Amino acid sequence: SARVSSPTQLACPLDLGCHSVGKVGMRHWHIKKNSEFCPTVNVAKVMSFAPEEERKDNKVPVIDVTKKGFFKVLGRGVPAKPVIVKARFFSKFAEKKIKAAGGACILTA
């Protein structure tokens, strides 16, 4: 007869190890793969999305960051001049810095 060296050998049949016996991990009934997809951009880089002629003029540019593939604006950096930014999400510091520079934050769906 075979000698049993550990108690796990008794519970695991056919010498498969315990990795293949029973349920493993959590089950997720309705998984949504992209539910947390939210690319971000900083306030300092937002001005680079404006066309060249709008950056040079005294007009306030309107920048839609969702057209560039970003959903959320974060507050790192300072906007160079007043700017109107359209995005799905804004951090509270980004909103504060854009408004302090004389710009506006517009939420889009």
Side-chain angles (χ1 to χ4, degrees):
S1 74
R3 184 170 171 241
V4 177
S5 61
S6 70
T8 56
Q9 286 182 346
L10 290 175
C12 302
L14 302 174
D15 200 24
L16 295 173
C18 288
H19 302 289
S20 63
V21 177
K23 295 177 183 170
V24 177
M26 295 185 296
R27 292 180 289 178
H28 200 292
W29 300 109
H30 187 76
I31 191 163
K32 296 177 183 173
K33 296 281 188 182
N34 290 330
S35 65
E36 296 180 14
F37 179 76
C38 188
T40 60
V41 64
N42 286 314
V43 171
K45 193 171 181 180
V46 167
M47 200 59 194
S48 67
F49 297 149
E52 190 67 34
E53 56 273 356
E54 286 187 12
R55 278 189 258 168
K56 303 263 189 216
D57 295 341
N58 289 332
K59 295 179 184 176
V60 177
V62 178
I63 301 170
D64 191 355
V65 295
T66 55
K67 290 184 179 176
K68 296 291 184 179
F70 298 101
F71 290 169
K72 186 171 185 175
V73 180
L74 300 178
R76 185 168 193 159
V78 179
K81 65 179 209 174
V83 63
I84 298 171
V85 183
K86 292 182 177 182
R88 287 190 180 181
F89 307 104
F90 290 93
S91 69
K92 62 181 178 181
F93 290 114
E95 191 172 359
K96 192 183 294 184
K97 288 180 180 182
I98 291 170
K99 288 181 179 178
C105 301
I106 299 174
L107 292 174
T108 59

